[in-house]
């Protein structure tokens, strides 16, 4: 056992960090490059851990970092096609370099969460290379192989059912070496594992044990609800009305969300719970808050993406908040997510032009004051926007497939390398970045914003440190004051010794919130517009500027 494993997460973290804390998502390829090859790496992450938490309000003060996949991968799906689960891709560094991340993160009170992509492997994983060439070898049944169901008039083999890939095209690819089809929910280079095979389950649980022994504090489970498919592989029923993509024209009744997942999840969770202070967060593939809440359990979060799809409108946000509060109820703990490596960034999706920083700060206020564990995507803390990626530079496979049809949002756009300073390439790399930098990197970067008290970064730091000292914001209850009327959201977060009130308007005009009947004397903790307490709290009302968000303590 390495030293890190014996200690587990830092003592400060051990008590419910998965509930109280804020998780920062690092997309390793785009975070910081230490060796000039243009790709972010583990040493680059270590060099910037103080940005996440150096113990002072001059850092974000986050409690955990989630690393998107760092395993050896041919990179067809930018790392979500894993060729070896117990190693580190040389482009990122080595296992020793990973151990250093754990040690350095723990020294700063930061837990380390790894991304586990267990629904499928890379087609270059040794397991698949063995499986595709030998129907009777040790890996023969580690994937989902099926004979054709007859032939077409032109003699082509016919796939076993009507399933399609989420990334476009059929979900079955013919393998001549084996004379069968194999299933892939995503790319043909991402063959789905056969989770009904005991050897697959044992091998993957050994992978979990391997990383726990190296001191990992948590796991993000990629599309965990897709692991099991209908045993009979029945065709999905059609969806009406459908959509432009074949995936949207089916009801996904048989290619995910099978009942066998419950038993596997219980075994995985028991393994994780066997080590103090560990946690998991499941990525529910194509699910809703009710399904997410159904899988949630203490220490085991489930992403709820309902807020990601909402426009910056109080009524729509209120409806989504009501839906997640109703789904999780007081007894289950949600996550709060406004973006990740697959989705448009808030500062682009929610605002335009001059409003961008105002909305980026107000969106941060929502992310960091709603009930649940917040996940902050790298770059959002400086209001990093989506980038335009010309066709010749597209990396995201489904984006290449569908171009120029508007049938897939190109995920490269939210993966621009982190701009650290006004240096060339934003100080991200001394080489040529793997993906183009945001055009405003020379001015919108960490160094520039750290020096500006009114920046999006400075706002995030102040709010994160307020949250870190607030039992109400960390684990308090949620109660509406104004649920979306007249462009306003206002809600209480309440703990036995502390009550806070968040109020914001999504409108481009001033708004007020009547405090009549609200117990306690309101004191201003933070305004996204830098307003004074005298301006915000007057005549028994909260006075909001256009697009302003404020946080009050009720004493
Ligand atoms: O990309 C999406 C929509 O734009 C998401 O719905 C996403 O594809 C889906 O939730 C599954 O995502 C996860 O698995 C994929 C990988 O490409 C994604 O990056 C990962 O987040 C396959 O492993």
């Amino acid at each position: 056992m390495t030293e890190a494993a014996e200690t587990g997460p830092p003592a400060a973290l051990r008590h419910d960090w998965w509930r109280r804390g804020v998780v920062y998502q690092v997309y390793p390829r785009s975070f910081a490059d230490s060796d000039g090859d243009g790709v972010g790496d583990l040493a680059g992450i270590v060099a910037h851990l103080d940005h996440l938490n150096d113990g002072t309000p001059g850092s974000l003060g986050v409690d955990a970092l989630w690393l998107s996949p760092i395993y050896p991968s041919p990179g067809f799906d930018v790392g979500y096609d894993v060729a070896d689960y117990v190693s580190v891709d040389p482009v990122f560094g080595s296992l020793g370099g990973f151990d250093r991340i754990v040690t350095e993160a723990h020294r700063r009170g930061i837990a380390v969460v790894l991304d586990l992509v267990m629904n499928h492997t890379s087609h270059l994983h040794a397991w698949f290379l063995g499986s595709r060439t030998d129907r009777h070898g040790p890996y023969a049944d580690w994937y989902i192989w099926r004979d054709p169901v007859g032939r077409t008039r032109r003699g082509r083999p016919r796939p076993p059912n009507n399933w399609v890939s989420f990334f476009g095209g059929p979900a079955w690819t013919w393998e001549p070496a084996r004379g069968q089809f194999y299933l892939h929910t995503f790319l043909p280079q991402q063959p789905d594992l056969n989770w009904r095979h005991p050897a697959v389950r044992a091998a993957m649980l050994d992978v979990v044990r391997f990383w726990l022994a190296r001191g990992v504090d948590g796991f993000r489970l990629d599309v965990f609800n897709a692991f099991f498919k209908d045993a009979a592989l029945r065709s999905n029923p059609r969806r009406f009305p459908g959509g432009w993509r074949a995936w949207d024209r089916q009801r996904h009744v048989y290619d995910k969300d099978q009942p066998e997942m419950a038993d596997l999840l219980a075994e995985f969770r028991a393994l994780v719970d066997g080590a103090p202070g560990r946690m998991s967060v499941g990525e529910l593939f194509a699910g809703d808050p009710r399904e997410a809440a159904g899988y949630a359990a203490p220490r085991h979060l489930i992403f709820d993406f309902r807020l990601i799809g909402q426009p910056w409108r109080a009524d729509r946000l209120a409806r989504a908040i009501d839906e997640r509060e109703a789904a999780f109820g007081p007894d289950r703990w949600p996550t709060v997510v406004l973006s990740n490596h697959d989705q448009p960034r808030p500062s682009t999706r929610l605002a335009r032009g001059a409003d961008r920083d105002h909305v980026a700060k107000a969106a941060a206020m929502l992310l960091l004051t709603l009930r649940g564990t917040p996940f902050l995507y790298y770059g959002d803390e400086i209001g990093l926007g989506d980038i335009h990626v010309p066709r010749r530079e597209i990396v995201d496979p489904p984006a290449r497939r569908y171009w120029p049809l508007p049938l897939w949002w190109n995920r490269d756009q939210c993966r621009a390398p982190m701009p650290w300073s006004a240096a060339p390439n934003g100080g991200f790399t001394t080489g040529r970045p793997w993906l183009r930098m945001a055009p405003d990197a020379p001015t919108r970067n960490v160094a520039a914003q750290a020096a500006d008290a009114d920046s999006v970064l400075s706002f995030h730091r102040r709010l994160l440190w307020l949250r870190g000292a607030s039992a109400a914001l960390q684990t308090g209850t949620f109660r509406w004051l104004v649920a979306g009327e007249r462009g306003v959201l206002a809600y209480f977060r309440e703990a036995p010794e502390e009550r806070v009130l968040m109020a914001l308007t999504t409108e481009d005009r001033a708004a007020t919130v009547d405090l009549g009947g609200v117990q306690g004397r309101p004191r201003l903790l933070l305004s996204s517009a830098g307003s004074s307490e005298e301006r915000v709290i007057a005549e028994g009302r909260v006075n909001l500027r256009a697009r302003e968000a404020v946080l009050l303590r009720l004493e």
Side-chain angles (χ1 to χ4, degrees):
M1 294 262 264
T2 60
E3 184 272 332
E6 283 142 17
T7 59
L13 279 175
R14 198 158 287 149
H15 300 296
D16 285 352
W17 64 270
W18 59 276
R19 181 197 293 269
R20 295 180 181 281
V22 176
V23 183
Y24 183 93
Q25 181 188 358
V26 169
Y27 193 71
R29 300 183 76 82
S30 296
F31 196 66
D33 170 23
S34 71
D35 58 12
D37 65 358
V39 178
D41 49 47
L42 302 188
I45 295 170
V46 170
H48 291 84
L49 282 176
D50 282 345
H51 170 67
L52 272 62
N53 195 341
D54 69 0
T56 78
S59 67
L60 293 170
V62 296
D63 307 274
L65 78 106
W66 151 28
L67 291 174
S68 277
I70 58 173
Y71 316 102
S73 165
F76 285 88
D77 188 15
V78 207
Y80 281 88
D81 47 325
V82 177
D84 180 352
Y85 286 96
V86 288
S87 185
V88 170
D89 194 299
V91 78
F92 295 127
S94 64
L95 279 171
F98 174 76
D99 293 340
R100 184 143 180 271
I101 282 200
V102 172
T103 302
E104 289 300 318
H106 282 181
R107 201 157 61 79
R108 292 165 173 83
I110 301 171
V112 178
V113 177
L114 270 193
D115 208 322
L116 276 182
V117 186
M118 303 197 289
N119 175 67
H120 46 270
T121 71
S122 161
H123 68 308
L124 298 183
H125 194 293
W127 299 342
F128 187 73
L129 296 177
S131 192
R132 64 181 283 271
T133 53
D134 184 350
R135 285 196 189 203
H136 308 293
Y139 298 107
D141 295 328
W142 282 47
Y143 295 83
I144 298 173
W145 294 97
R146 285 296 184 282
D147 293 336
V149 284
R151 300 256 169 184
T152 64
R153 278 197 296 274
R154 287 195 281 181
R156 289 190 178 165
R158 200 187 297 276
N161 62 26
N162 70 349
W163 294 359
V164 292
S165 161
F166 181 70
F167 286 162
W172 297 96
T173 290
W174 180 252
E175 175 47 73
R178 183 158 161 153
Q180 288 184 307
F181 285 99
Y182 68 88
L183 178 69
H184 49 85
T185 303
F186 297 97
L187 295 173
Q189 293 85 356
Q190 294 173 292
D192 283 36
L193 282 162
N194 170 17
W195 273 94
R196 295 180 188 284
H197 193 324
V200 170
R201 188 171 179 141
M204 279 304 189
L205 292 174
D206 282 344
V207 167
V208 174
R209 289 186 189 92
F210 174 87
W211 291 107
L212 285 173
R214 292 197 95 94
V216 167
D217 304 296
F219 299 100
R220 179 253 188 197
L221 300 182
D222 191 62
V223 299
F224 75 94
N225 58 311
F227 289 9
F228 285 90
K229 289 76 177 169
D230 176 56
L233 298 180
R234 283 169 281 183
S235 284
N236 284 322
R238 288 185 59 78
R239 176 198 301 272
F240 294 102
W244 290 100
R245 295 186 310 188
W247 177 270
D248 301 325
R249 293 195 292 272
Q250 292 185 5
R251 287 193 299 114
H252 294 280
V253 174
Y254 295 116
D255 52 357
K256 65 184 185 70
D257 295 320
Q258 298 302 300
E260 293 87 338
M261 188 63 216
D263 177 62
L264 169 67
L265 217 45
E267 186 174 4
F268 165 79
R269 289 175 172 181
L271 176 55
V272 173
D273 291 344
R278 266 66 173 202
M279 59 79 79
S280 75
V281 56
E283 185 211 22
L284 190 70
F285 177 40
D288 64 33
R290 186 182 43 76
E291 291 165 316
Y295 280 113
R299 293 192 178 285
H300 299 286
L301 301 166
I302 304 293
F303 281 139
D304 156 42
F305 292 146
R306 185 60 84 215
L307 286 170
I308 288 184
Q310 304 308 320
W312 194 246
R313 279 182 41 178
D315 57 343
R316 294 283 299 279
L317 290 167
R319 203 180 312 155
I321 293 167
D322 277 340
E323 190 179 351
R324 62 198 293 280
E325 281 295 326
F328 281 84
D331 301 327
R332 289 175 187 261
W333 196 249
T335 62
V336 192
V337 184
L338 289 182
S339 64
N340 60 31
H341 63 290
D342 293 328
Q343 307 288 341
R345 285 181 178 274
S347 77
T348 298
R349 181 170 60 84
L350 299 174
R352 290 284 175 276
D355 261 346
R356 186 168 159 188
D357 284 8
H358 292 301
V359 174
K361 292 176 192 175
M365 182 72 92
L366 201 63
L367 177 78
L368 298 171
T369 63
L370 277 173
R371 187 174 76 99
T373 300
F375 284 72
L376 175 61
Y377 182 43
Y378 89 92
D380 283 355
E381 74 271 31
I382 63 169
L384 186 62
D386 294 334
I387 55 173
H388 168 70
V389 179
R391 179 182 185 183
R392 67 184 180 284
E393 296 176 21
I394 292 177
V395 174
D396 189 16
R400 281 205 303 271
R401 175 186 191 89
Y402 284 114
W403 194 91
L405 301 176
L407 300 182
W408 179 269
W409 186 82
N410 177 13
R411 298 176 296 173
D412 298 335
Q413 298 176 97
C414 67
R415 299 172 177 177
M418 184 69 154
W420 294 100
S421 70
N425 296 315
F428 163 73
T429 179
T430 55
R432 184 168 187 273
W434 75 283
L435 193 62
R436 60 175 51 199
M437 302 297 296
D440 59 357
T443 52
R444 185 181 292 274
N445 59 67
V446 172
Q449 294 204 12
D452 173 0
D454 294 330
S455 66
V456 178
L457 174 61
S458 295
F459 181 78
H460 273 80
R461 287 174 169 176
R462 282 197 291 274
L463 180 51
L464 280 159
W465 281 86
L466 274 171
R467 188 184 189 282
S470 168
L473 288 177
Q474 289 176 26
T475 57
T477 57
F478 173 91
R479 179 165 63 90
W480 282 119
L481 178 58
V482 180
E485 295 83 15
R486 304 182 317 285
V488 171
L489 294 178
Y491 49 76
F492 300 100
R493 297 292 316 280
E494 296 168 306
E497 302 80 28
E498 182 195 20
R499 297 170 59 235
V500 298
L501 172 63
M502 196 293 293
L504 69 80
T505 174
T506 56
E507 298 303 301
D508 190 14
R509 61 177 185 276
T512 61
V513 175
D514 181 5
L515 291 177
V518 172
Q519 301 297 317
R521 178 180 174 223
R523 301 303 305 268
L524 179 67
L525 291 174
L526 188 59
S527 154
S528 65
S531 302
S532 68
E533 182 169 273
E534 293 67 32
R535 203 201 67 75
V536 170
I537 304 165
E539 297 159 13
R541 287 195 305 264
V542 176
N543 301 288
L544 299 168
R545 287 191 177 126
R547 308 277 198 222
E548 183 175 18
V550 299
L551 187 62
L552 312 177
R553 175 172 286 131
L554 300 170
E555 296 179 344

